[in-house]
Amino acid sequence: MNLGTSRAGRLDDQPDSLHIIGDWTLAYYPDLKEQIDAFKTQTENGNGLNRSVDLSAIETLDTAGAALLIDLLGVQRMTAILQGSSDIPPARRALLDTMVRAMATPLTPEVCRMSQPLVFLAQTGERVKGFWRQQRLLLGFIGLILSTLVTTLLRPRRWRMTALVAQIHQTGLNAIGIVALLTFLVGAVVAFLGATVLQSFGATIYTVNLVAFSFLREFGVLLATILLAGRTTSAFTAQIGSMKANEEIDAIRAFGLNPVELLVLPRVLAILVTLPILTFVGMLSGILGGALVCLLVLDITALQFFTILQNVAPHHFIVGLSKAPLFAFFIAAIGCLEGFKVSGSAQSVGEHTTSSVVQSIFMVILLDAIAALFFMEMGW
């Protein structure tokens, strides 16, 4: 089979040998490729040639031609030719040897395997970076809420009282029962635990102070906020997220309305109104739960209980109640922000709903810890 021009590389197929002739370079690559494909088609196995191969007639060879030769003969046959032939010029032998080794073991990127401590540090860094990015986004969203609130307050015609009242009903009145029940039970548990510890010191009477301080300062607002974060913040995210997925928010913008003013402000203001009320309910229910335990288990009469309760300083109640608006604003902002971050799928709604609850509870506990340190340093 003789193909090609006088100088272009070609295959001279003889009965007992295969002569490779001419220039095997990139300039003649398409023609050489056609010859090799045709030769393989005519032979039963192009890589298992049973005849001798003569490379002495090659005039010029580059990497493209060397790759074609190895594709024609195969890696093993070319290796055997290089080892058995002594008339191949050193430069050409080095080129063919390099190409054989490269094609025998294709270059693959090495997998960088990090040690477990480094993997843990890398993952921790990614989480910290994501947390910082989330806090920056939340800070910007809070600024947007405050600016919209100031603009709206100066224009009474734009107040949405119907939406505000509806949100107060949903977030406040419907949650009173669960908040009262949970804080009542927790108050009973705190009284039991306090009595168990104080009984060994003969000071069970101080169980009253323990229940009063814990619910007036911490448990009343904390339990109400956590319940509201799981019950209401998730609802905010799901509602706004569903509207985002259904492109209703885009329709609101198309009508020239502000989604923050229409959807966020009523929810934020509703929680600002309802959480202090729920906190007060939680304080009363927790103290009543502790009073019931003192009355039935510790032989502390109701008169003794409420007499000791009167001696508790009022500022503990004010400290606990003052944290409610701050917690309310943050959990409402987080819930609405996660709703706006929803993409277009139901899975995204579920993921951001879960994220809003986790972030809200984390933020509440963090703020409560900071507030506890602040009030302790201030002597309040």
Side-chain angles (χ1 to χ4, degrees):
M1 179 174 60
N2 294 313
L3 297 172
T5 63
S6 59
R7 186 169 177 80
R10 65 182 188 273
L11 300 177
D12 187 6
D13 186 13
Q14 301 296 330
D16 58 347
S17 64
L18 176 65
H19 296 274
I20 300 175
I21 305 170
D23 292 345
W24 284 69
T25 60
L26 182 61
Y28 304 108
Y29 188 92
D31 182 57
L32 294 172
K33 183 65 175 173
E34 290 182 5
Q35 294 183 52
I36 291 174
D37 292 340
F39 179 79
K40 287 183 177 182
T41 303
Q42 294 177 10
T43 57
E44 294 181 356
N45 189 351
N47 289 334
L49 297 171
N50 295 323
R51 67 200 79 183
S52 62
V53 179
D54 182 14
L55 303 179
S56 61
I58 297 178
E59 297 181 10
T60 308
L61 181 69
D62 62 6
T63 54
L68 289 174
L69 288 177
I70 297 171
D71 180 50
L72 170 65
L73 302 175
V75 173
Q76 295 180 353
R77 184 65 184 276
M78 181 59 74
T79 303
I81 293 173
L82 292 175
Q83 293 176 353
S85 178
S86 60
D87 56 349
I88 300 177
R92 189 168 298 171
R93 180 186 297 273
L95 174 61
L96 290 172
D97 184 65
T98 302
M99 292 297 296
V100 165
R101 285 188 282 107
M103 296 181 69
T105 56
L107 296 177
T108 56
E110 295 184 359
V111 179
C112 181
R113 295 183 178 179
M114 300 175 63
S115 62
Q116 289 301 321
L118 291 178
V119 171
F120 175 76
L121 290 177
Q123 293 176 350
T124 303
E126 288 295 329
R127 293 190 183 99
V128 172
K129 185 178 179 180
F131 175 78
W132 173 247
R133 185 165 51 248
Q134 170 64 27
Q135 297 313 305
R136 290 180 58 189
L137 189 61
L138 177 61
L139 186 62
F141 189 68
I142 288 174
L144 180 61
I145 293 174
L146 293 176
S147 63
T148 306
L149 177 62
V150 171
T151 303
T152 305
L153 288 177
L154 299 177
R155 301 176 182 178
R157 291 184 179 181
R158 298 175 64 173
W159 294 358
R160 302 187 180 277
M161 299 304 299
T162 303
L164 177 60
V165 172
Q167 292 297 331
I168 291 175
H169 180 268
Q170 292 178 4
T171 60
L173 297 180
N174 293 342
I176 288 178
I178 185 64
V179 170
L181 177 61
L182 180 65
T183 51
F184 180 85
L185 296 176
V186 174
V189 171
V190 170
F192 269 120
L193 294 176
T196 301
V197 175
L198 296 173
Q199 189 173 9
S200 60
F201 299 98
T204 54
I205 193 67
Y206 290 104
T207 304
V208 180
N209 300 82
L210 175 63
V211 172
F213 289 156
S214 61
F215 274 89
L216 290 178
R217 292 185 68 96
E218 297 294 337
F219 284 163
V221 62
L222 198 59
L223 292 175
T225 306
I226 290 175
L227 276 174
L228 212 61
R231 179 185 180 275
T232 305
T233 303
S234 59
F236 288 174
T237 304
Q239 291 166 0
I240 297 177
S242 298
M243 296 179 68
K244 180 74 176 299
N246 295 330
E247 299 182 355
E248 295 178 36
I249 294 180
D250 294 334
I252 291 174
R253 291 194 178 98
F255 281 114
L257 301 175
N258 186 353
V260 176
E261 178 184 338
L262 189 66
L263 301 175
V264 177
L265 285 186
R267 289 171 168 81
V268 172
L269 295 177
I271 287 191
L272 287 173
V273 172
T274 58
L275 187 55
I277 298 174
L278 293 176
T279 299
F280 180 72
V281 172
M283 292 176 179
L284 291 181
S285 299
I287 292 174
L288 289 177
L292 183 62
V293 172
C294 292
L295 181 64
L296 298 179
V297 179
L298 304 179
D299 294 329
I300 298 176
T301 64
L303 180 61
Q304 287 178 306
F305 185 92
F306 288 106
T307 300
I308 298 173
L309 191 62
Q310 286 179 354
N311 295 325
V312 177
H315 77 271
H316 297 298
F317 170 76
I318 297 174
V319 166
L321 202 62
S322 65
K323 294 186 285 188
L326 179 65
F327 293 171
F329 184 81
F330 271 92
I331 65 174
I334 290 173
C336 295
L337 175 61
E338 290 298 314
F340 280 107
K341 289 166 63 177
V342 169
S343 58
S345 63
Q347 180 181 359
S348 179
V349 175
E351 290 175 352
H352 286 284
T353 300
T354 303
S355 177
S356 69
V357 175
V358 173
Q359 290 184 48
S360 298
I361 294 176
F362 173 80
M363 186 62 68
V364 166
I365 296 175
L366 178 63
L367 291 175
D368 186 66
I370 295 173
L373 293 174
F374 172 76
F375 290 133
M376 182 180 66
E377 292 295 328
M378 296 297 295
W380 297 347

